[in-house]
């Protein structure tokens, strides 16, 4: 682990991209602005990947998370061409698992580095983020499976989506706080 400041700068890029993406997701509901917001979400996704790559140069778990992010892009692209409902759900759940693994790897590997420099309280924020994310992704997987049934799927989709939306926002805020505080602790 040579240059923790560089890893911190990568985490800062990820933080900025997370905040920007969240703002843009809200702006997507506004007509005309939604086109610019969609483009900005794509730009922030690229910025986040650059930050993850930069952090991965110094933190091994972030390197693995970067590779999984690329794999997830390929899986998502492949899933968009699949018309079979069951295969589509399998690809969707695989994407959820990969998404979760990225969050888990970032939080735990950066947490390990933070522990080594004595920033244990920040590590705990990362733990909260990945644990809430785990609940969200399990619920998303269950909803995807439930949606394959006629009546129950509709109800599970509506109720589950509301619960997952709230939990996802909490998880995202926790993750953003973790990224921000981590980047500061690593000198970015």
């Amino acid at each position: 682990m040579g240059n923790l400041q560089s890893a911190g700068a990568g985490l800062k890029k990820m933080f900025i991209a997370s905040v920007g993406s969240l703002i843009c997701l809200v702006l997507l509901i506004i007509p005309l602005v939604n086109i610019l917001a969609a483009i900005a979400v794509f730009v922030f996704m690229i910025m986040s990947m650059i930050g993850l790559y930069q952090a991965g140069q110094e933190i091994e778990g972030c390197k693995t998370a970067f590779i999984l992010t690329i794999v997830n892009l390929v899986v998502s692209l492949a899933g968009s061409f699949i018309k079979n409902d069951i295969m589509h759900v399998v690809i969707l759940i695989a994407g959820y698992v990969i998404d979760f693994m990225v969050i888990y790897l970032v939080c735990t590997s950066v947490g390990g580095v933070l522990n080594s420099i004595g920033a244990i309280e920040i590590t705990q924020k990362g733990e909260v983020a990945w644990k809430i994310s785990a609940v969200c992704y399990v619920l998303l997987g269950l909803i995807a499976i439930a949606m394959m049934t006629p009546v129950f799927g509709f109800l599970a989709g509506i109720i589950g989506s509301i619960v997952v939306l709230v939990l996802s926002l909490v998880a995202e805020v926790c993750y953003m706080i973790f990224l921000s505080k981590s980047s500061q602790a690593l000198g970015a």
Side-chain angles (χ1 to χ4, degrees):
M1 235 167 296
N3 187 356
L4 292 181
Q5 210 168 10
S6 176
L11 295 172
K12 187 172 187 175
K13 284 181 183 78
M14 292 171 64
F15 166 72
I16 292 167
S18 289
V19 172
S21 292
L22 192 59
I23 291 168
C24 288
L25 288 175
V26 172
L27 294 176
L28 283 173
I29 62 171
I30 301 171
L32 299 176
V33 174
N34 60 358
I35 296 168
L36 294 174
I39 293 167
V41 166
F42 180 74
V43 169
F44 285 126
M45 181 186 76
I46 299 296
M47 181 181 188
S48 180
M49 289 177 66
I50 290 168
L52 187 55
Y53 177 81
Q54 186 176 358
Q57 297 301 301
E58 304 301 328
I59 303 171
E60 191 61 38
C62 290
K63 182 185 289 185
T64 305
F66 176 77
I67 293 166
L68 285 175
T69 300
I70 301 296
V71 168
N72 200 24
L73 287 174
V74 173
V75 167
S76 296
L77 185 61
S80 67
F81 293 109
I82 293 178
K83 302 297 179 213
N84 178 307
D85 286 345
I86 294 172
M87 283 306 298
H88 184 73
V89 168
V90 168
I91 299 258
L92 193 64
I93 291 172
Y96 294 155
V97 169
I98 295 169
D99 276 342
F100 169 70
M101 287 306 301
V102 168
I103 293 168
Y104 175 79
L105 285 167
V106 169
C107 289
T108 56
S109 63
V110 172
V113 171
L114 292 170
N115 281 341
S116 73
I117 63 170
I120 296 165
E121 69 283 348
I122 301 172
T123 301
Q124 292 168 342
K125 292 182 188 321
E127 279 184 29
V128 170
W130 76 254
K131 287 177 180 176
I132 295 172
S133 293
V135 172
C136 288
Y137 284 114
V138 167
L139 289 174
L140 282 171
L142 293 173
I143 291 168
I145 293 168
M147 296 279 291
M148 294 175 63
T149 61
V151 176
F152 181 69
F154 178 74
L155 292 174
I158 291 173
I159 295 168
S161 295
I162 293 167
V163 170
V164 169
L165 175 65
V166 171
L167 282 175
S168 294
L169 285 172
V170 171
E172 185 64 25
V173 168
C174 289
Y175 187 61
M176 288 188 298
I177 291 169
F178 172 73
L179 291 173
S180 175
K181 300 233 181 246
S182 298
S183 68
Q184 291 169 5
L186 296 178

